[in-house]
Amino acid sequence: MKRSVLLAATLALGSASQANVSLPKLLSDGCVLQRNMPVRLYGSADVGEVVTITLKGKTVNVTAGAEGKWLVSFPAQPAGGPFVMSVKGKNTLTVKDVYFGEVWVCSGQSNMEWPLAASFEVKAEIESEPDPLLRMFTVQKSVELTPQDEVAGGTWQSAAPNTRAGFSAVGYYFAKSLRKALGVPVGMLHTSWGGTRIEAWMSKDVNLGLGMNAAEFATPVVAAEAKARYERLVARWKAAGSPQGVGTDSGRSDKTTGWERGSGGDAWKSVNAPGEWDTLGNDELLGIDGAVWFKKEVEIPAELVGKPLKLSLGAIDDHDVTFFNGQQVGATGAETPNSWTAPRNYSVPGGLVKKGRNVIVVRVFDGSGGGGFVGKPADMKLGTIELSGEWSYRIEKAVPASPGLMPGANPNGASLLYNAMLYPLKNYSVKGGIWYQGESNVGRHELYFKQMPAMIANWQRDFAAASFPFFITQLAPFGNGGSERIEYAQQREAQSAAMRTVKGGGIAVITDIGNETDIHPNRKGPVGERLSLLAQKIAYGKDVYAVGPTYKEALAGFDKMIVRFDNVGAGLEVRDGICSEKPLPAGKLIGFEISSGDGIFYPAEAKIRSKNEVEVWSSKVAVPRYVRYGYKNFTLTNLWSKSGLPADPFRTDK
């Protein structure tokens, strides 16, 4: 997937009027089922229909209820696979390549959605050997006004060079670390959406219980014409089998022979460029994914004949192969990160530039979402010759695209993502959840302190799990328009405090991997690995060091303060090197501030005093009373445990 705007309409799980037994998308080929606990299997059928499920030589029966839905508990199984599951009613369904292992939900906003392909130095990781036992189901984006029984879309994929690049990077590294520690299959249910607030991921009753204004749940107002157009796209998409894009480009088909020269005469139809083909007012190009060829004829003046020219086309969504007078002069494909935003600038050799009519042909491939020329008119030039305006097109391959959100729908509306992307998962048996979110709630930290435990309890209730380990990521250092301000520090503080109230919960501290100017630090490996350490210790009882130094108490007296820490492992140390992409002073402990109590904090000198103590002082504070550590939007810190984890930021002036 290329952009966070790739969305989908929700399909119904099934109704009582359907004769055939059906299964949810989660229970499909390649699924991972939770080991060592009874597993919920579910679906739909005719009212009163007996459904027989056979798996691993064991059979269970269930009768569809009054709404045509059925749910049955399958006995706990150890890790293993692959198995084949048979589901039989009036029809028979077969689910292949089923494994038992560990299943986790990974959710949040953009830093959880962030793909492995866009992460730090991942070429070798992406191209590494396939791991067929590390699998991810990415829930297709959707919003709904009421809780749904089924997700809009998604399939199980195992980690391989042609799939893992699109995985949630944090979810992938979490699963990889668990795979190594536990030696069993791991399946991730990835459901996230960039830029979203926590209240979008909570049920209406929980939001109202926290004092949410009823206006947050208002139904969007949609113009009748826009709604009708949207419904036509949905109907066409469903009729085509709800395709999820066309995947990777398999190359041009044989029928396109000669198209690079612009041959075909009347087969080419007029269209304007630039503009996503969804927005061009052309019904044939509306709402499709696939390959479309574009042609532009230009007149070359005598003074440019035989001279090399720069061909600029602006950004093209997703990939292109570009020809000049039948000869390829450039191409941009999947090897280019964020190819859909990359400007196309190609060199046309002078030998191809002839007097009079010359032909530019561009094959555009779009795997999902919008496609076409997406730059500005001024971006499209051949030397000084303007290229924007009328072009011609021919369609090589097209399938209906996912129709996206209903116009006017807002993914940040309270409970809308919960209804469409979390509630439909509730019957799938899982071990626990991991979470990376909070940026969109910065500035409302007091409410977030209440929302985080409430959301976890909400999910625990939905998944019917008395024990539901849940681990979150503390926000990374980020300037947020003012590195010296403290709204991000307040949010981190709220996150840590909230998780201290959650039984079976924990927080991964990532004070070392922020970016002062980018809300999306790209080093996701340590995030997933630290969340995995929490899971290994708390969820699986392994003897690992999972929680870094945390504030215990501060002793004030005379001209210095003594700060004591818990969870110091092998003892405290100063970590040199790089912190949040900036160099650290060698051997010097930084990140502390102290105050006399007048509200003014000064940068402090600090040194490790013992295994679990730090001494802090400043020449500007004669009698210090309060101490802070890492308590700014963006600040460099380097207090670690020798056991390998950074200290949690804190303040004592509460």
Side-chain angles (χ1 to χ4, degrees), residues 437-641:
Q437 189 275 341
E439 298 91 339
S440 291
N441 289 85
V442 166
R444 298 190 296 171
H445 56 280
E446 293 180 352
L447 178 59
Y448 198 88
F449 167 74
K450 300 175 182 178
Q451 289 173 311
M452 190 76 256
M455 190 197 79
I456 296 171
N458 184 174
W459 290 22
Q460 182 182 40
R461 177 193 69 191
D462 288 342
F463 283 104
S467 173
F468 188 72
F470 198 89
F471 310 114
I472 77 169
T473 308
Q474 189 182 81
L475 295 190
F478 170 57
N480 196 39
S483 295
E484 295 296 311
R485 298 204 306 252
I486 63 170
E487 61 266 24
Y488 255 65
Q490 291 171 321
Q491 184 75 335
R492 294 184 201 106
E493 182 180 50
Q495 289 178 311
S496 293
M499 294 311 293
R500 286 195 290 271
T501 72
V502 175
K503 183 179 180 180
I507 186 167
V509 174
I510 56 170
T511 51
D512 55 317
I513 57 172
N515 185 308
E516 188 170 12
T517 60
D518 193 343
I519 200 172
H520 302 120
N522 64 8
R523 294 184 61 218
K524 303 303 188 191
V527 181
E529 290 159 6
R530 290 174 197 176
L531 290 167
S532 170
L533 287 173
L534 290 167
Q536 290 173 49
K537 185 174 185 66
I538 297 172
Y540 300 106
K542 287 190 167 291
D543 184 17
V544 296
Y545 183 69
V547 179
T550 53
Y551 170 77
K552 180 180 180 182
E553 61 182 349
L555 308 178
F558 304 104
D559 61 343
K560 295 182 179 179
M561 296 188 72
I562 306 299
V563 183
R564 290 176 177 163
F565 293 85
D566 286 329
N567 303 314
V568 297
L572 299 173
E573 73 170 4
V574 178
R575 178 67 62 96
D576 293 337
I578 300 294
C579 176
S580 295
E581 303 189 14
K582 295 182 181 290
L584 291 167
K588 183 179 181 180
L589 186 57
I590 60 173
F592 285 89
E593 299 174 290
I594 55 174
S595 171
S596 63
D598 59 2
I600 301 174
F601 280 82
Y602 296 93
E605 301 292 321
K607 69 176 183 180
I608 294 173
R609 187 170 183 262
S610 68
K611 180 180 178 179
N612 70 328
E613 293 180 328
V614 171
E615 192 173 59
V616 188
W617 72 96
S618 170
S619 60
K620 295 183 178 181
V621 183
V623 182
R625 289 185 58 196
Y626 300 115
V627 59
R628 292 178 173 181
Y629 174 71
Y631 202 78
K632 290 180 180 177
N633 282 359
F634 182 88
T635 184
L636 301 182
T637 56
N638 62 351
L639 180 64
W640 284 59
S641 162

Side-chain angles (χ1 to χ4, degrees), residues 167-179:
F167 283 11
S168 157
V170 171
Y172 170 78
Y173 283 117
F174 174 84
K176 180 181 178 182
S177 179
L178 274 192
R179 288 269 300 119

Side-chain angles (χ1 to χ4, degrees), residues 303-530:
E303 63 269 21
L304 295 182
V305 173
K307 294 182 179 180
L309 297 176
K310 179 181 178 181
L311 174 58
S312 298
L313 299 170
I316 294 177
D317 189 353
D318 294 333
H319 309 146
D320 74 286
V321 180
T322 297
F323 304 87
F324 191 89
N325 287 336
Q327 299 297 311
Q328 182 175 324
V329 294
T332 301
E335 76 286 346
T336 300
N338 299 329
S339 59
W340 50 92
T341 63
R344 272 44 168 196
N345 293 298
Y346 302 134
S347 296
V348 178
L352 294 179
V353 182
K354 62 183 183 180
K355 184 179 179 179
R357 176 185 176 274
N358 289 251
V359 182
I360 301 166
V361 175
V362 184
R363 180 184 185 267
V364 177
F365 172 80
D366 176 61
S368 57
F373 298 94
V374 294
K376 300 176 181 178
D379 296 334
M380 303 183 72
K381 291 183 178 181
L382 175 64
T384 59
I385 301 172
E386 300 287 341
L387 297 179
S388 63
E390 185 176 1
W391 284 61
S392 302
Y393 76 93
R394 294 182 71 175
I395 295 176
E396 173 188 342
K397 176 182 180 180
V399 298
S402 166
L405 276 180
M406 169 72 78
N410 175 15
N412 255 322
S415 304
L416 293 184
L417 302 186
Y418 168 85
N419 292 337
M421 298 177 64
L422 194 283
Y423 186 86
L425 312 181
K426 67 184 179 66
N427 286 328
Y428 203 86
S429 300
V430 303
K431 181 70 173 181
I434 60 174
W435 177 259
Y436 194 161
Q437 189 275 341
E439 298 91 339
S440 291
N441 289 85
V442 166
R444 298 190 296 171
H445 56 280
E446 293 180 352
L447 178 59
Y448 198 88
F449 167 74
K450 300 175 182 178
Q451 289 173 311
M452 190 76 256
M455 190 197 79
I456 296 171
N458 184 174
W459 290 22
Q460 182 182 40
R461 177 193 69 191
D462 288 342
F463 283 104
S467 173
F468 188 72
F470 198 89
F471 310 114
I472 77 169
T473 308
Q474 189 182 81
L475 295 190
F478 170 57
N480 196 39
S483 295
E484 295 296 311
R485 298 204 306 252
I486 63 170
E487 61 266 24
Y488 255 65
Q490 291 171 321
Q491 184 75 335
R492 294 184 201 106
E493 182 180 50
Q495 289 178 311
S496 293
M499 294 311 293
R500 286 195 290 271
T501 72
V502 175
K503 183 179 180 180
I507 186 167
V509 174
I510 56 170
T511 51
D512 55 317
I513 57 172
N515 185 308
E516 188 170 12
T517 60
D518 193 343
I519 200 172
H520 302 120
N522 64 8
R523 294 184 61 218
K524 303 303 188 191
V527 181
E529 290 159 6
R530 290 174 197 176

Side-chain angles (χ1 to χ4, degrees), residues 286-310:
L286 177 64
I288 64 168
D289 298 319
V292 180
W293 293 65
F294 293 87
K295 178 178 71 169
K296 179 78 170 181
E297 296 185 6
V298 294
E299 289 289 325
I300 300 295
E303 63 269 21
L304 295 182
V305 173
K307 294 182 179 180
L309 297 176
K310 179 181 178 181

Side-chain angles (χ1 to χ4, degrees), residues 12-24 41-53 61-72 87-93 149:
L13 172 66
S15 67
S17 63
Q18 289 180 306
N20 288 341
V21 172
S22 67
L23 291 170
L41 303 176
Y42 58 104
S44 66
D46 271 350
V47 174
E49 184 175 354
V50 176
V51 179
T52 300
I53 301 101
N61 296 304
V62 61
T63 301
E67 296 182 355
K69 299 175 183 178
W70 56 267
L71 184 151
V72 66
V87 181
K88 185 176 181 180
K90 295 178 180 177
N91 60 305
T92 299
L93 300 176
D149 290 324

Side-chain angles (χ1 to χ4, degrees), residues 25-62:
K25 293 180 176 64
L26 287 170
L27 288 172
S28 57
D29 291 351
C31 64
V32 180
L33 303 177
Q34 179 60 43
R35 65 168 178 161
N36 297 343
M37 68 169 62
V39 170
R40 294 184 293 275
L41 303 176
Y42 58 104
S44 66
D46 271 350
V47 174
E49 184 175 354
V50 176
V51 179
T52 300
I53 301 101
T54 303
L55 176 62
K56 287 189 67 178
K58 299 177 175 61
T59 297
V60 294
N61 296 304
V62 61

